[in-house]
């Protein structure tokens, strides 16, 4: 499990912005953008950010930045999944 210190401030800022998106994203949906092989994050981190118990001084990213990040991540997942879809 990754510790709270494994998140970069930019990621915390993106997570804060993602928590403001409506319809509301689940913690699992948010985690999916930041978890990758070798980096296993858990819901506790998102909860700590949402409940303002950690990283209180980090402002949320601008909404358009968060949405662009999410769109780029989805496009990357589709692109890397394509070779496996032909099997």
């Amino acid at each position: 499990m990754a510790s709270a210190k494994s998140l970069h401030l930019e990621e915390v800022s993106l997570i804060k912005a993602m928590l403001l998106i409506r319809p509301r994203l689940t913690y699992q949906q948010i985690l999916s953008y930041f978890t990758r092989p070798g980096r296993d994050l858990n819901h506790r981190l998102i909860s700590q950010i949402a409940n303002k118990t950690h990283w209180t001084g980090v402002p949320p990213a601008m909404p358009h930045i968060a949405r662009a990040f999410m769109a780029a991540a989805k496009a990357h997942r589709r692109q890397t999944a394509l070779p496996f879809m032909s099997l």
Side-chain angles (χ1 to χ4, degrees), residues 20-82:
L20 298 173
I21 290 175
R22 298 297 181 256
R24 189 177 187 130
L25 300 169
T26 66
Y27 289 178
Q28 185 63 38
Q29 288 171 317
I30 294 171
L31 281 174
S32 71
Y33 290 95
F34 300 96
T35 303
R36 58 186 177 272
R39 186 182 195 207
D40 186 23
L41 304 174
N42 68 34
H43 296 86
R44 176 186 50 87
L45 295 175
I46 306 300
S47 180
Q48 289 171 341
I49 295 168
N51 294 329
K52 300 177 182 167
T53 58
H54 287 74
W55 299 287
T56 56
V58 178
M62 298 295 291
H64 69 279
I65 299 292
R67 289 192 184 277
F69 168 78
M70 293 168 63
K74 284 181 184 177
H76 176 72
R77 279 185 251 171
R78 278 193 304 270
Q79 184 180 23
T80 58
L82 288 177

